[in-house]
Amino acid sequence: MTVSRVINTPDRVSAHTAARVRAAIEKLGYVPNLVAGGLSSRRSRMVAAILPTIAHAMFAELVQAFTDAMRGGGYQVMLALSGYDEVTEADLLRGLIGRRPDAMLITGTHHAAPIRQMIAEAGIPVVEMFDVTAQPIDMLVGLDHAEVGTAVAERFLNQSHDSFAMFAAGDPRAQVRRRAFTATVQRAGGAVLADTILPAPSTIAAGRQALRDLAPSLTRRTALFCSSDLLAFGAITEARVQGIRVPDRLSVCGFGNFELSATSEPAFTTVSIEGRAIGANAANLLLRRLGGDPPGAAAHVRVPFRIIERASG
């Protein structure tokens, strides 16, 4: 019974006892039969997480925080990557639900009706993350991307810019930021020189090429918002090659607050999102529900953002 508690509900065992049991497990090479345990308890002790990528630091931090918290609650995390592809996401969901996880973490709220129905009919706790919506499937840890786009546009407008550009990846969240940014600029009478949609996931090379294409149009000082720090870094790199001074002729703001945003030359302004906070909040919601909280109890968490101002204007 004590061994079972250490494996399944470690929070119910003292640290000293848990250490002794784990030492014995290590020495004996013991591997518990989780399938048999799941059949008897109707719990797999496994949580599935679907993310578009872990190549970006923000998602990597999120996964680490989520995994650490779920492991602390006695659950293992099975991670799957969709690559920003809806068909791949649907296939992954179907395959993972068939393995009967105890709960799921999925990215975004933009799901086709059949996918939403499949998730709802699985009858397990689900957290959608990184978006906001008035009709979540179950629980939500979200960020309002329209607010982000509006805030960046207003910041540039307050700096007396009247010429603007947008480089955005084709994923749904980047597109929400793009639309809000350009709409805010246009309402204020600003000129949008480029509204460029690029493949997801974002790359430095794509940012360089987009800036190379934009360069002939930069006849006056322009404010550029990039949906990812990778695009922003590529744009700044290409601007330097083209002899376009930042921030004298081109002001740049990225998204994500990756390490390279602070170490670039010049360091560039970016929107900071706490990836670890998203992962930790998602795990907290799931663990509370799995622990007996009823549906609807504190099920929505709004994650804040902030603009970090640096030398790129």
Side-chain angles (χ1 to χ4, degrees):
M1 186 178 293
T2 301
V3 173
S4 176
R5 285 175 178 164
V6 170
I7 294 170
N8 296 308
T9 54
D11 55 311
R12 297 176 59 189
V13 183
S14 72
H16 175 70
T17 300
R20 290 179 60 197
V21 171
R22 291 193 180 103
I25 287 173
E26 182 73 19
K27 181 178 180 180
L28 296 171
Y30 171 68
V31 178
N33 188 334
L34 297 179
V35 173
L39 290 173
S40 63
S41 66
R42 297 187 180 179
R43 286 284 183 93
S44 66
R45 312 301 301 184
M46 186 267 286
V47 172
I50 300 179
L51 279 79
T53 180
I54 54 171
H56 296 177
M58 185 164 44
F59 284 119
E61 291 176 355
L62 185 159
V63 170
Q64 189 65 61
F66 180 76
T67 301
D68 289 347
M70 294 307 300
R71 186 184 297 121
Y75 291 85
Q76 299 298 323
V77 175
M78 178 184 291
L79 176 64
L81 303 178
S82 67
Y84 293 98
D85 184 81
E86 290 185 4
V87 175
T88 300
E89 181 189 50
D91 289 343
L92 287 171
L93 281 166
R94 192 173 292 106
L96 291 170
I97 290 173
R99 287 165 174 77
R100 301 297 187 267
D102 288 341
M104 294 192 72
L105 175 70
I106 56 178
T107 306
T109 60
H110 300 270
H111 313 293
I115 293 178
R116 291 180 64 87
Q117 182 178 351
M118 178 170 52
I119 296 169
E121 289 180 353
I124 58 175
V126 174
V127 172
E128 294 170 282
M129 63 173 180
F130 233 77
D131 271 345
V132 292
T133 178
Q135 295 181 316
I137 295 171
D138 184 5
M139 295 175 283
L140 179 70
V141 179
L143 167 73
D144 192 326
H145 294 270
E147 285 186 4
V148 172
T150 299
V152 174
E154 289 177 345
R155 175 185 175 275
F156 280 142
L157 288 164
N158 289 337
Q159 294 175 333
S160 299
H161 286 282
D162 58 11
S163 179
F164 303 85
M166 178 79 210
F167 297 166
D171 67 89
R173 290 160 295 283
Q175 289 302 300
V176 171
R177 297 195 293 276
R178 177 187 70 83
R179 288 191 292 269
F181 177 82
T182 56
T184 303
V185 164
Q186 290 168 340
R187 280 196 300 270
V192 179
L193 301 182
D195 185 11
T196 305
I197 301 175
L198 301 164
S202 301
T203 64
I204 293 170
R208 289 196 64 175
Q209 182 60 54
L211 197 283
R212 196 175 301 131
D213 295 339
L214 175 63
S217 302
L218 295 178
T219 56
R220 52 182 174 169
R221 187 168 180 246
T222 299
L224 170 64
F225 180 32
C226 296
S227 71
S228 164
D229 280 353
L230 296 178
L231 294 177
F233 180 76
I236 285 177
T237 300
E238 187 62 29
R240 190 162 54 243
V241 171
Q242 298 280 341
I244 299 168
R245 294 178 63 85
V246 176
D248 297 343
R249 283 184 58 200
L250 183 70
S251 296
V252 180
C253 179
F255 177 87
N257 193 27
F258 300 172
E259 181 181 6
L260 56 74
S261 66
T263 56
S264 170
E265 181 52 47
F268 57 87
T269 298
T270 187
V271 180
S272 177
I273 309 298
E274 292 296 329
R276 293 193 64 85
I278 295 175
N281 276 296
N284 180 55
L285 288 178
L286 285 179
L287 288 171
R288 287 171 57 184
R289 178 72 66 78
L290 291 165
D293 271 14
H300 300 169
V301 177
R302 183 71 68 93
V303 178
F305 67 88
R306 62 192 177 98
I307 299 175
I308 299 178
E309 306 212 3
R310 297 194 176 109
S312 65

